[in-house]
Amino acid sequence: QVQLVESGGGLVETGGSLTLACLASGNIATIDDMRWYRQLPGRERRFVAALTVRGTPTYVDSVKGRFTISRDNAKNTLYLHMNNLRPEDTSVYYCNFRDTLRDGDYWGQGTQVTVSS
């Protein structure tokens, strides 16, 4: 099993920055895909960014050039650096770790990001 705990959410003004962190623990040796999603109340969870163990990042078009996904293996932590935030980025953000070998799919509890206009 893998446990994920997000932190770093908060209230920020338009144009501001936040960095989200996702601390992982447990059996993470075979994790090969790490992602961030976001979700508004009553809406489906939507993909934001992904990072594979080979280090190739991918992003949804709406955040390209503003968000950066990264990881610190020594700290077992995945990050989402968010710059030039917009009101439409307001959401609950979730990290998601996937283990293809063990067919694992793990989620954190979510962290709220609110961008004021």
Side-chain angles (χ1 to χ4, degrees), residues 3 20-21 29 36 80-81 92 109:
Q3 296 76 44
L20 306 183
W36 287 97
L80 185 67
H81 308 278
V92 177
Q109 83 287 356

Side-chain angles (χ1 to χ4, degrees), residues 30-104:
T30 51
I31 294 295
D32 54 0
D33 188 331
M34 295 159 285
R35 302 181 179 208
W36 287 97
Y37 286 77
R38 59 189 180 187
Q39 185 175 27
L40 289 169
R43 305 288 294 275
E44 65 179 15
R45 200 165 290 185
R46 304 186 72 172
F47 170 80
V48 177
L51 186 65
T52 68
V53 290
R54 290 169 293 280
T56 303
T58 57
Y59 302 92
V60 67
D61 285 348
S62 60
V63 308
K64 285 181 180 177
R66 300 188 299 122
F67 290 12
T68 302
I69 188 171
S70 67
R71 62 179 176 164
D72 186 332
N73 291 335
K75 296 182 179 180
N76 292 338
T77 301
L78 179 72
Y79 298 98
L80 185 67
H81 308 278
M82 306 185 293
N83 296 316
N84 193 19
L85 283 161
R86 305 167 180 169
E88 54 264 39
D89 295 318
T90 294
S91 196
V92 177
Y93 284 72
Y94 296 89
C95 59
N96 170 233
F97 279 30
R98 301 183 181 191
D99 184 340
T100 303
L101 180 67
R102 301 174 189 270
D103 197 27

